Amino acid sequence: MENGSSSLSSVPSNPLLKDELDIVIPTIRNLDFLEMWRPFFQPYHLIIVQDGDPSKIIRVPDGFDYELYNRNDINRILGSKASCISFKDSACRCFGYMISKKKYIFTIDDDCFVAKDPSGKEINALEQHIKNLLSPSTPFFFNTLYDPYHEGADFVRGYPFSLREGVPTAVSHGLWLNIPDYDAPTQLVKPLERNTRYVDAVLTVPKGTLFPMCGMNLAFNREVIGPAMYFGLMGDGQPIGRYDDMWAGWCMKVICDHLGLGVKTGLPYIWHSKASNPFVNLKKEYKGIYWQEELIPFFQTVTLPKECTTVQKCYLELSKQVKAKLGKVDDYFNKLTDAMVTWIEAWDELNPSVNAGTAAARKPNGAAK
Amino acid sequence: MSLKLEDNEVDIVVAALRPNLNTFLEEWRSFFSNFHLIIVKDPNLEEDLQIPPGFDHQVYTKSDMDRVLNGASINFSGHSCRYFGYLISRKKYIISIDDDCLPARDNSGVIVDAVAQHISNLQTPATPFFFNTLYDPYRQGADFVRGYPFSLRDGVECLLSCGLWLNIADYDAPTQIVKPHERNTRYVDAVMTVPLRAMMPLSGINIGFNREVLGPALVPGLRLDGEGKRRWETIEDIWSGMCAKVICDHLGCGVKSGLPYVWRGVGSDADNAMDSLKKEWEGVKLMEEVVPFFQSVKFPKTAVTAADCVIEISRMARENLASLNPVYAQAADTMEAWVDLWKVAGS
């Protein structure tokens, strides 16, 4: 693709993983934000998951190569299994993960824009995520100089040499400048707080450590961890919202720890422009806020048997333990367990082998006219 | 964040491996001048120390060490001399910075008060049980992110603050040889808690700690046979850092890493890494045994103080490591002697 105007100095002339990565974008409003991302995203294929009213036409800006799925498409493709895909919640994005045939996924919210680094240069977030995914992680020992594979850094004195090869990176978790990803109570207490601190680091989240995974600016190796990235039952008809990415992150992390895969957090930053309504958020979150006091000890103590050698096996085992231990917290978790199983069934149906390009029911590319 | 800092709660321990402390102390004067300095002279250093006027300080030498040791076999030579300073201090907090490090500048060009940052790290809670993706949640302009359990937001006491270095990073000898010109120019504007059970290499170059609670855990245990004066010829801080981390994990307290940076370069000699390789290679090999050892350390419930824990580590090292290399048996002996000494001279 050709370079854009001179201010976009970080536009690559040879986009990495151009044919191996899909960008998954959930939307219910519009895709205007794509204009700002055009120089960085245009080489890549987009999977748009349209939430809400399927009769609404969502226009994709010209020049993007994309496929778009609305609720009717999801119902048609998954049949009864569509019950595991949330409605009226951005959690529906995980349908995009399932339908993709690529090795890597980058997902971004439609209110996230290109950020600038402290020197004023625009940040190619996708390129940074790809670098994160293509270089190893180091979950077994904390490197105090953060990412040792980053240019200008290395492993520090005392870091065992046997651990310096690292492990494959499954997930790259990016951050946000401007509107920080706070929960509703914190938003209510600090409505004006903006994240202005650019922390120039990528680091591996250590093995055995959980963290809140935010789905706003996230990339992962779909081949290696895809089935674990189920975003749960949220939105319409559900007692909870804004915990979709959290749930996926905790499941994903215990599975990565079990399988010896790495998770990175830090760069890249995007610019988060929209502050959602804290009162609306509070209604969605409030059950999650007190349920998570049970969820965290559950995830901190979960162990997976060594017979669980694939992500699907791990995930199904996890679903059994969710039912056994969290079913008593609320019946929601029984429904969630069923949905987790349905998700894996649907995943395996749509992705019958590891080879890309295997036949599966999919909507043909809808290129913008 | 404004802190109630009592100047008489902090000692700054300086290990003098070189006689001329003029540049070092002058550069740090504005940040050190409110505090008492414990200057410990490397027992192998023969020349007198040159110390500029105007500092509230006390110098300790080999004769002080001999007096306090009273026959106990602990080797305080080289970088380990600072542990003597940790021992005889009576303050709550200790800050220690190598004498070849000067104040760094942050990304806006402002000189960093490393002392104040260490104190801030030690006086604000740590969050080892769940990782906050916006790093230190107590920092101005930051907070806990969505999904962070509320019950964990009080945090726990931070007992150890591990700072970093611009310019000459703390690499081992092999890395120095492969990358002799690499300089750390990246100022990462973050402090974070090292999570529970995550192990990390402690660099003794730039640290602060809560001596009251953690003191005995910073122990001059593991010495290489050919230990030298260059940082990459030592491993004492790596060993004591591992002890400190497993002890903090056990006591339910925290360890932070990140800010403050110091600027490292005065007196550092990257060119002789090749000679050091012979000395430090032993240390590099030892780490392969040391790390799995610490990852498997478990303390009984009866170990409730840092000193109790050090004795336990010493016992486990004797059981599990001593047969692999005599330095471990030596470390175990030193740790026991250290705890005894701490009971007598440290409290």
Side-chain angles (χ1 to χ4, degrees), chain A residues 9-62:
Chain A
S9 52
S10 59
V11 177
S13 52
N14 218 345
L16 290 168
L17 302 183
K18 186 165 68 72
D19 300 317
E20 295 177 70
L21 181 144
D22 276 337
I23 302 179
V24 171
I25 304 166
T27 187
I28 199 164
R29 278 169 299 268
N30 63 65
L31 293 168
D32 295 347
F33 86 118
L34 279 177
E35 273 312 326
M36 200 191 185
W37 287 103
R38 185 184 287 278
F40 304 131
F41 286 5
Q42 199 163 325
Y44 299 89
H45 182 69
L46 311 184
I47 295 181
I48 314 291
V49 184
Q50 179 183 332
D51 197 13
D53 180 4
S55 65
K56 179 174 170 178
I57 304 294
I58 297 224
R59 200 192 151 267
V60 181
D62 292 341

Side-chain angles (χ1 to χ4, degrees), chain A residues 192-246:
Chain A
L192 300 176
E193 186 150 278
R194 298 291 177 263
N195 185 23
T196 55
R197 186 174 291 122
Y198 184 93
V199 178
D200 188 6
V202 180
L203 54 130
T204 299
V205 184
K207 179 176 176 176
T209 301
L210 293 174
F211 73 103
M213 181 179 84
C214 173
M216 257 197 266
N217 170 22
L218 183 69
F220 58 95
N221 183 326
R222 188 182 161 279
E223 261 177 31
V224 136
I225 198 66
M229 300 296 277
Y230 173 50
F231 271 40
L233 288 173
M234 306 277 144
D236 228 42
Q238 306 299 342
I240 187 175
R242 286 170 57 86
Y243 270 84
D244 51 335
D245 41 5
M246 298 299 137

